[in-house]
């Protein structure tokens, strides 16, 4: 079915129908968004997809609501919002239409569902209530701040605000998916570099990119530092032990902390050493040779004091 209309409810908007609209308008750019609760619009028909309104979930009829009694649940019992339902049925098509390589579609689909769609679903259904000082900075909360203020008198205010918020929501969806796709491309490059490194402790990459997931996936427990070029110099960086937190498999030498240029060269004895962060998780050098020498020296010191890489567990 190629719809002429994408129908969702009128009035105040929430993240779930905004994000659903992002997916559907990408797939059906010719369709017009209609925001209404009128029976003639929220009744299924061959010319429309209805979502977040209508009191029914019937994919064959093109209606995707989640407010009714007996609304659909995920296999693990968690509730869907309209966004989850639209992503379930149209997400793979959206990724394909976004020119994602077919080999990556399933992985990005699952990653986006787990990390982006599910939190929106749970928040919309009241199954997740963010708290604390960052609660108002979640994506659903931020999108809702784009609603008109209470005394905005224009009858078109809600629709204008909806379409303005839709552009913002689209940016977040596209950026998140682009990041997920990039991580998969990076994984292939990092895997090749791991094979080239063998049992060495230093991984050299052709550019800066996400590297920890591929290192963990490959079981490259021996690696302690990563070296790669930047725009005008080279970087030496540590590898975090876990996805959360900042503890590294090995720190850069304590004697380097906070030093730059000549002072750092004098301490480490490597010409071209240019910077070491006071936190000892990243350093820089003017040349590849200097960066690799710094990394090898850092490995030697780390092993001498008993650094034990753990593969990120």
């Amino acid at each position: 079915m190629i719809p002429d209309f994408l129908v969702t409810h009128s009035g105040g908007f929430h993240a779930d129908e905004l994000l659903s609209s992002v997916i559907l308008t990408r797939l059906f750019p010719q369709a017009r968004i209609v925001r209404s609760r009128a029976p003639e619009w929220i009744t299924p028909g061959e010319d429309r997809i209805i979502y977040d309104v209508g009191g029914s979930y019937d994919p064959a009829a093109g209606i995707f609501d989640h407010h009714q009694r007996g609304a659909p649940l995920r296999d693990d019992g968690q509730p869907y919002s309209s966004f989850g339902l639209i992503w379930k049925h149209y997400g793979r098509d959206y990724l394909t239409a976004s020119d994602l390589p077919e080999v990556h579609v399933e992985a990005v689909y699952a990653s986006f569902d787990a990390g982006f769609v599910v939190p929106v679903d749970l928040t919309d259904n009241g199954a997740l209530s963010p708290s604390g000082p960052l609660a108002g900075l979640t994506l659903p909360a931020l999108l809702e701040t784009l609603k008109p203020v209470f005394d905005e008198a224009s009858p078109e205010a809600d629709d204008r605000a909806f379409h303005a918020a839709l552009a913002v929501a689209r940016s977040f969806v596209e950026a998140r998916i682009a990041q997920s796709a990039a991580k998969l491309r990076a994984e292939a490059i990092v895997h090749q570099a791991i094979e080239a490194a063998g049992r060495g402790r230093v991984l050299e990459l052709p550019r800066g990119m996400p590297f920890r997931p591929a290192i963990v996936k490959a079981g490259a427990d021996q690696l302690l530092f990563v070296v790669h070029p930047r725009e005008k110099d080279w970087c030496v960086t540590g590898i975090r032990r876990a996805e959360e937190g900042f503890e590294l498999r090995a720190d850069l030498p304590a004697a380097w902390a906070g030093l730059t240029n000549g002072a750092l060269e004098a301490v480490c004895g490597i010409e071209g050493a240019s910077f070491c962060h006071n936190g000892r998780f990243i350093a820089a050098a003017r040349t590849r040779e200097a960066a690799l020498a710094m990394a090898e020296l850092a490995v030697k010191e780390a092993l001498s004091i008993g650094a034990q890489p753990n593969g990120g567990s």
Side-chain angles (χ1 to χ4, degrees):
M1 178 181 69
I2 299 178
D4 296 317
F5 305 102
L6 304 174
V7 182
T8 190
H9 61 81
S10 54
F13 54 80
H14 302 94
D16 66 328
E17 77 266 21
L18 273 173
L19 293 163
S20 297
S21 299
V22 170
I23 305 306
L24 293 173
T25 54
R26 177 68 177 83
L27 290 173
F28 309 110
Q30 78 294 333
R32 178 166 67 91
I33 293 177
V34 175
R35 303 184 69 244
S36 176
R37 297 181 187 272
E40 62 267 26
W41 278 114
I42 63 174
T43 299
E46 293 184 358
D47 61 350
R48 65 195 63 179
I49 294 174
I50 303 166
Y51 51 103
D52 209 40
V53 70
S56 179
Y57 169 56
D58 185 349
I63 183 166
F64 302 87
D65 200 8
H66 68 105
H67 297 99
Q68 67 276 14
R69 183 175 296 182
L73 301 174
R74 293 174 179 270
D75 291 341
D76 60 4
Q78 295 188 113
Y80 284 103
S81 74
S82 64
F83 185 35
L85 295 175
I86 291 297
W87 184 251
K88 175 182 178 180
H89 290 277
Y90 294 100
R92 293 176 178 85
D93 291 339
Y94 175 89
L95 295 173
T96 299
S98 301
D99 297 323
L100 194 73
E102 184 178 354
V103 68
H104 290 165
V105 166
E106 203 59 39
V108 174
Y109 172 87
S111 173
F112 187 76
D113 185 62
F116 196 106
V117 181
V118 169
V120 173
D121 284 355
L122 297 182
T123 301
D124 188 81
N125 283 285
L128 176 66
S129 298
S131 59
L134 295 179
L137 297 179
T138 63
L139 181 59
L142 289 173
L143 289 174
E144 288 195 36
T145 65
L146 301 176
K147 293 179 181 179
V149 294
F150 79 96
D151 51 359
E152 170 61 65
S154 170
E156 294 83 29
D158 278 330
D159 282 351
R160 279 202 309 267
F162 179 91
H163 285 280
L166 178 58
V168 175
R170 189 183 312 281
S171 295
F172 279 105
V173 171
E174 291 177 350
R176 180 61 176 264
I177 287 172
Q179 289 290 332
S180 294
K183 286 180 180 179
L184 291 174
R185 296 195 302 273
E187 183 175 298
I189 296 170
V190 175
H191 183 73
Q192 289 180 339
I194 291 171
E195 289 187 339
R199 298 306 299 171
R201 302 285 188 170
V202 177
L203 182 69
E204 182 178 357
L205 297 175
R207 64 178 67 183
M209 64 185 69
F211 55 76
R212 185 182 177 277
I215 289 174
V216 173
K217 184 176 180 179
D221 296 356
Q222 79 282 1
L223 292 172
L224 295 179
F225 297 101
V226 175
V227 171
H228 64 80
R230 299 193 296 193
E231 185 176 353
K232 295 182 179 180
D233 62 2
W234 285 72
C235 179
V236 182
T237 184
I239 301 169
R240 287 187 293 118
R241 287 184 177 273
E243 188 64 32
E244 302 295 331
F246 298 98
E247 185 182 4
L248 302 177
R249 294 183 177 186
D251 295 313
L252 292 164
W256 300 2
L259 299 182
T260 61
N261 300 320
L264 181 57
E265 288 181 328
V267 168
C268 69
I270 299 170
E271 182 179 356
S274 59
F275 167 78
C276 182
H277 194 284
N278 199 49
R280 298 162 55 202
F281 60 89
I282 189 170
R286 287 185 285 275
T287 67
R288 171 179 178 269
E289 291 72 23
L292 289 171
M294 291 175 72
E296 292 296 346
L297 192 58
V299 166
K300 183 176 180 180
E301 176 165 319
L303 295 178
S304 74
I305 59 177
Q308 294 294 321
N310 64 357
S313 63

